[in-house]
């Protein structure tokens, strides 16, 4: 079934506790003082829930970040983040902008939420990405930020693209298979072919992102990190997987370096 709703709306309720924790706890609990951070350590914070703050609250949060010597923040990119991104940049805080490849597409297919296996929100399938629609969407967002004089620290294109949590082409119940290029290009393998088609669409959208960046006024040299993938966290988990893929919480993950590539 095709849906046209914004996938981010499906996450709002689920993220509410997280953003309250980020704003209320991370600064006093983790970033305790300037003296706690050596000069060669760059302090970064993944900031969520910014879109639920008014501009005054965003300004106060940026001031907290500055006072605690935060040098870079990670946040989404859209009109609802423009004030925060601009104010952070003006205060000398770099911004890593997370750009999801399905943004701007109108006829996305969604994998429904499956809380029983840890998939708490519905997710767009990469294979239904419209690269041209993404280019138009992204162009307008970059233009708005550059109108405010913003030079971003980096673009982060997608997140954990090897998981059902962020790519709806992955089946809810993982098969546990290790998929190689021959599988992804095999039209007679429905599971692998769908994932492969999604990755090809992802790469086309990545090319559009690079084109927009290269044509921009202030962000021509902003690096693009792409192919961020999920990784194992413990030795026990590693012992349960074979050659990089395992079944866990209803989805498959590839275990390799966090980023598959970077465009400088």
């Amino acid at each position: 079934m095709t849906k046209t709703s914004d996938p981010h709306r499906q996450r709002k309720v689920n993220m509410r506790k997280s953003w309250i924790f980020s704003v209320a706890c991370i600064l006093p609990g983790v970033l305790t003082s300037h003296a706690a951070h050596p000069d060669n350590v760059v302090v970064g914070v993944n900031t969520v829930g910014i879109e639920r703050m008014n501009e005054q609250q965003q300004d106060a949060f940026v001031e907290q970040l500055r006072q605690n010597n935060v040098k870079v923040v990670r946040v989404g990119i859209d009109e609802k983040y423009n004030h925060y991104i601009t104010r952070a940049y003006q205060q000398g805080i770099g911004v890593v902008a997370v750009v999801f490849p399905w943004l701007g597409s109108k006829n996305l297919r969604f994998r429904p939420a499956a809380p029983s296996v840890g998939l708490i929100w519905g997710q767009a399938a990469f294979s239904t990405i419209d690269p041209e629609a993404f280019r138009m969407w992204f162009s307008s967002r970059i233009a708005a930020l550059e109108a405010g004089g913003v030079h971003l620290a980096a673009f982060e294109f997608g997140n954990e693209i090897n998981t059902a949590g962020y790519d709806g082409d992955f089946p809810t119940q993982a098969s546990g298979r290790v998929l190689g290029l021959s599988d992804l290009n095999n039209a007679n393998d429905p599971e692998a072919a769908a994932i492969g088609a999604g990755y090809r669409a992802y790469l086309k959208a990545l090319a559009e992102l690079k084109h927009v960046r290269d044509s921009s006024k202030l962000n021509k040299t902003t690096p693009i990190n792409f192919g961020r993938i999920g990784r194992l966290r413990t030795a026990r988990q590693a012992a349960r997987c074979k050659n990089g893929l395992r079944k866990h919480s209803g989805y498959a993950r590839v275990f390799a370096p966090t980023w598959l590539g970077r465009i400088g």
Side-chain angles (χ1 to χ4, degrees):
M1 181 178 180
T2 298
K3 298 183 180 180
T4 58
S5 60
D6 183 346
H8 295 293
R9 292 180 181 176
Q10 301 177 47
R11 306 183 190 189
K12 286 186 176 181
V13 173
N14 300 312
M15 290 177 64
R16 188 173 301 276
K17 292 183 180 179
S18 296
W19 84 263
I20 292 174
F21 174 82
S22 294
V23 176
C25 300
I26 192 167
L27 290 175
V30 179
L31 307 176
T32 55
S33 70
H34 292 194
H37 308 294
D39 291 339
N40 62 343
V41 174
V42 177
V43 179
V45 176
N46 180 39
T47 55
V48 296
I50 299 300
E51 71 278 11
R52 290 192 266 297
M53 300 180 189
N54 60 38
E55 291 187 356
Q56 184 177 8
Q57 291 171 325
Q58 291 178 20
D59 291 347
F61 186 46
V62 169
E63 179 59 19
Q64 283 185 284
L65 294 170
R66 187 193 66 77
Q67 291 178 2
N68 284 278
N69 206 33
V70 172
K71 297 301 182 184
V72 63
V73 293
R74 179 177 182 262
V75 70
I77 182 172
D78 207 345
E79 292 99 333
K80 55 194 173 186
Y81 304 113
N82 283 356
H83 179 83
Y84 171 72
I85 291 173
T86 302
R87 184 53 58 93
Y89 178 76
Q90 291 171 344
Q91 294 297 318
I93 300 172
V95 177
V96 175
V98 182
V99 186
F100 291 106
W102 59 79
L103 292 171
S105 297
K106 302 298 183 183
N107 296 306
L108 294 167
R109 186 181 75 255
F110 281 79
R111 184 265 307 144
S116 63
V117 292
L119 300 173
I120 58 176
W121 56 67
Q123 181 56 51
F126 278 20
S127 59
T128 57
I129 291 170
D130 180 344
E132 175 65 16
F134 169 78
R135 181 188 62 77
M136 295 176 64
W137 177 90
F138 184 61
S139 295
S140 66
R141 271 57 181 184
I142 290 300
L145 289 174
E146 292 198 336
V150 174
H151 181 192
L152 295 165
F155 297 111
E156 179 179 320
F157 193 52
N159 182 55
E160 296 190 6
I161 66 170
N162 60 322
T163 72
Y166 288 93
D167 180 359
D169 285 317
F170 279 82
T172 300
Q173 293 292 342
S175 64
R177 298 170 58 201
V178 177
L179 302 178
L181 287 176
S182 60
D183 300 305
L184 296 175
N185 290 315
N186 183 0
N188 296 317
D189 185 334
E191 178 185 7
I195 295 170
Y199 284 157
R200 285 188 286 273
Y202 171 89
L203 290 173
K204 290 178 181 178
L206 174 62
E208 296 294 350
L209 185 149
K210 182 179 183 299
H211 174 74
V212 173
R213 184 206 67 167
D214 292 350
S215 303
S216 68
K217 296 179 179 179
L218 302 179
N219 286 277
K220 292 180 185 293
T221 61
T222 300
I224 303 169
N225 296 325
F226 64 92
R228 186 173 191 270
I229 59 179
R231 301 183 67 187
L232 280 176
R233 300 301 179 189
T234 68
R236 181 179 180 184
Q237 290 173 324
R240 294 169 54 197
C241 82
K242 294 181 180 179
N243 299 322
L245 256 169
R246 70 185 174 94
K247 182 177 180 180
H248 174 67
S249 297
Y251 56 91
R253 285 185 174 181
V254 179
F255 303 105
T258 302
W259 291 105
L260 296 181
R262 187 178 197 185
I263 300 173

